PDB file of all heavy atoms in Angstrom:
ATOM      1  N   ARG W 401     -14.442  -8.902  -7.797  1.00 98.00           N
ATOM      2  CA  ARG W 401     -15.100  -9.289  -9.067  1.00 98.00           C
ATOM      3  C   ARG W 401     -16.471  -8.655  -9.147  1.00 98.00           C
ATOM      4  O   ARG W 401     -16.880  -8.125 -10.177  1.00 98.00           O
ATOM      5  CB  ARG W 401     -15.249 -10.811  -9.147  1.00 98.00           C
ATOM      6  CG  ARG W 401     -13.941 -11.529  -9.381  1.00 98.00           C
ATOM      7  CD  ARG W 401     -14.124 -13.041  -9.506  1.00 98.00           C
ATOM      8  NE  ARG W 401     -12.823 -13.669  -9.505  1.00 98.00           N
ATOM      9  CZ  ARG W 401     -12.257 -14.260  -8.437  1.00 98.00           C
ATOM     10  NH1 ARG W 401     -12.912 -14.348  -7.291  1.00 98.00           N
ATOM     11  NH2 ARG W 401     -11.044 -14.753  -8.523  1.00 98.00           N
ATOM     12  N   ALA W 402     -17.187  -8.683  -8.012  1.00 98.00           N
ATOM     13  CA  ALA W 402     -18.572  -8.175  -7.999  1.00 98.00           C
ATOM     14  C   ALA W 402     -18.642  -6.666  -8.254  1.00 98.00           C
ATOM     15  O   ALA W 402     -19.651  -6.181  -8.753  1.00 98.00           O
ATOM     16  CB  ALA W 402     -19.227  -8.526  -6.661  1.00 98.00           C
ATOM     17  N   VAL W 403     -17.588  -5.937  -7.904  1.00 98.00           N
ATOM     18  CA  VAL W 403     -17.627  -4.480  -8.147  1.00 98.00           C
ATOM     19  C   VAL W 403     -16.941  -4.103  -9.476  1.00 98.00           C
ATOM     20  O   VAL W 403     -16.668  -2.936  -9.726  1.00 98.00           O
ATOM     21  CB  VAL W 403     -17.032  -3.647  -6.972  1.00 98.00           C
ATOM     22  CG1 VAL W 403     -17.828  -3.869  -5.698  1.00 98.00           C
ATOM     23  CG2 VAL W 403     -15.544  -3.923  -6.759  1.00 98.00           C
ATOM     24  N   GLY W 404     -16.651  -5.106 -10.289  1.00 98.00           N
ATOM     25  CA  GLY W 404     -16.118  -4.796 -11.623  1.00 98.00           C
ATOM     26  C   GLY W 404     -14.618  -4.945 -11.754  1.00 98.00           C
ATOM     27  O   GLY W 404     -14.017  -4.315 -12.637  1.00 98.00           O
ATOM     28  N   GLY W 405     -14.003  -5.743 -10.888  1.00 98.00           N
ATOM     29  CA  GLY W 405     -12.562  -5.986 -11.011  1.00 98.00           C
ATOM     30  C   GLY W 405     -11.746  -4.725 -10.754  1.00 98.00           C
ATOM     31  O   GLY W 405     -12.200  -3.794 -10.081  1.00 98.00           O
ATOM     32  N   LEU W 406     -10.557  -4.708 -11.318  1.00 98.00           N
ATOM     33  CA  LEU W 406      -9.633  -3.594 -11.041  1.00 98.00           C
ATOM     34  C   LEU W 406     -10.242  -2.243 -11.425  1.00 98.00           C
ATOM     35  O   LEU W 406     -10.106  -1.259 -10.694  1.00 98.00           O
ATOM     36  CB  LEU W 406      -8.319  -3.819 -11.800  1.00 98.00           C
ATOM     37  CG  LEU W 406      -7.257  -2.749 -11.617  1.00 98.00           C
ATOM     38  CD1 LEU W 406      -6.877  -2.576 -10.141  1.00 98.00           C
ATOM     39  CD2 LEU W 406      -6.001  -3.074 -12.425  1.00 98.00           C
ATOM     40  N   LYS W 407     -10.963  -2.225 -12.557  1.00 98.00           N
ATOM     41  CA  LYS W 407     -11.566  -0.970 -13.013  1.00 98.00           C
ATOM     42  C   LYS W 407     -12.563  -0.451 -11.966  1.00 98.00           C
ATOM     43  O   LYS W 407     -12.578   0.744 -11.631  1.00 98.00           O
ATOM     44  CB  LYS W 407     -12.272  -1.229 -14.345  1.00 98.00           C
ATOM     45  CG  LYS W 407     -12.339  -0.059 -15.225  1.00 98.00           C
ATOM     46  CD  LYS W 407     -12.711  -0.474 -16.653  1.00 98.00           C
ATOM     47  CE  LYS W 407     -13.358   0.735 -17.297  1.00 98.00           C
ATOM     48  NZ  LYS W 407     -14.512   0.394 -18.108  1.00 98.00           N
ATOM     49  N   GLY W 408     -13.360  -1.366 -11.452  1.00 98.00           N
ATOM     50  CA  GLY W 408     -14.356  -0.982 -10.461  1.00 98.00           C
ATOM     51  C   GLY W 408     -13.700  -0.549  -9.154  1.00 98.00           C
ATOM     52  O   GLY W 408     -14.119   0.432  -8.523  1.00 98.00           O
ATOM     53  N   LEU W 409     -12.653  -1.271  -8.755  1.00 98.00           N
ATOM     54  CA  LEU W 409     -11.949  -0.926  -7.514  1.00 98.00           C
ATOM     55  C   LEU W 409     -11.324   0.461  -7.627  1.00 98.00           C
ATOM     56  O   LEU W 409     -11.413   1.294  -6.719  1.00 98.00           O
ATOM     57  CB  LEU W 409     -10.845  -1.955  -7.223  1.00 98.00           C
ATOM     58  CG  LEU W 409     -11.282  -3.396  -6.939  1.00 98.00           C
ATOM     59  CD1 LEU W 409     -10.078  -4.333  -6.977  1.00 98.00           C
ATOM     60  CD2 LEU W 409     -11.994  -3.501  -5.598  1.00 98.00           C
ATOM     61  N   ARG W 410     -10.708   0.693  -8.778  1.00 98.00           N
ATOM     62  CA  ARG W 410     -10.033   1.981  -8.986  1.00 98.00           C
ATOM     63  C   ARG W 410     -11.053   3.120  -9.007  1.00 98.00           C
ATOM     64  O   ARG W 410     -10.828   4.184  -8.426  1.00 98.00           O
ATOM     65  CB  ARG W 410      -9.267   1.921 -10.315  1.00 98.00           C
ATOM     66  CG  ARG W 410      -8.144   2.917 -10.416  1.00 98.00           C
ATOM     67  CD  ARG W 410      -7.510   2.862 -11.786  1.00 98.00           C
ATOM     68  NE  ARG W 410      -8.527   2.949 -12.809  1.00 98.00           N
ATOM     69  CZ  ARG W 410      -8.552   2.226 -13.932  1.00 98.00           C
ATOM     70  NH1 ARG W 410      -7.604   1.358 -14.175  1.00 98.00           N
ATOM     71  NH2 ARG W 410      -9.537   2.365 -14.805  1.00 98.00           N
ATOM     72  N   ALA W 411     -12.186   2.859  -9.641  1.00 98.00           N
ATOM     73  CA  ALA W 411     -13.221   3.904  -9.714  1.00 98.00           C
ATOM     74  C   ALA W 411     -13.736   4.241  -8.312  1.00 98.00           C
ATOM     75  O   ALA W 411     -14.021   5.401  -8.005  1.00 98.00           O
ATOM     76  CB  ALA W 411     -14.366   3.430 -10.609  1.00 98.00           C
ATOM     77  N   ARG W 412     -13.844   3.242  -7.465  1.00 98.00           N
ATOM     78  CA  ARG W 412     -14.311   3.497  -6.096  1.00 98.00           C
ATOM     79  C   ARG W 412     -13.298   4.378  -5.352  1.00 98.00           C
ATOM     80  O   ARG W 412     -13.662   5.343  -4.684  1.00 98.00           O
ATOM     81  CB  ARG W 412     -14.519   2.173  -5.351  1.00 98.00           C
ATOM     82  CG  ARG W 412     -15.730   1.384  -5.831  1.00 98.00           C
ATOM     83  CD  ARG W 412     -15.801   0.017  -5.152  1.00 98.00           C
ATOM     84  NE  ARG W 412     -15.995   0.115  -3.704  1.00 98.00           N
ATOM     85  CZ  ARG W 412     -17.181   0.178  -3.101  1.00 98.00           C
ATOM     86  NH1 ARG W 412     -18.289   0.121  -3.817  1.00 98.00           N
ATOM     87  NH2 ARG W 412     -17.257   0.264  -1.791  1.00 98.00           N
ATOM     88  N   ALA W 413     -12.014   4.023  -5.460  1.00 99.00           N
ATOM     89  CA  ALA W 413     -10.978   4.822  -4.787  1.00 99.00           C
ATOM     90  C   ALA W 413     -10.935   6.237  -5.365  1.00 99.00           C
ATOM     91  O   ALA W 413     -10.844   7.231  -4.619  1.00 99.00           O
ATOM     92  CB  ALA W 413      -9.616   4.133  -4.919  1.00 99.00           C
ATOM     93  N   ASP W 414     -11.035   6.331  -6.686  1.00 98.00           N
ATOM     94  CA  ASP W 414     -11.014   7.661  -7.331  1.00 98.00           C
ATOM     95  C   ASP W 414     -12.163   8.535  -6.820  1.00 98.00           C
ATOM     96  O   ASP W 414     -11.969   9.720  -6.527  1.00 98.00           O
ATOM     97  CB  ASP W 414     -11.143   7.524  -8.861  1.00 98.00           C
ATOM     98  CG  ASP W 414      -9.843   7.069  -9.519  1.00 98.00           C
ATOM     99  OD1 ASP W 414      -8.794   7.094  -8.854  1.00 98.00           O
ATOM    100  OD2 ASP W 414      -9.884   6.680 -10.703  1.00 98.00           O
TER     101      ASP W 414
END
Side-chain angles (χ1 to χ4, degrees):
R401 288 182 189 100
V403 298
L406 180 58
K407 209 165 155 221
L409 296 168
R410 202 184 51 221
R412 288 174 64 89
D414 284 347

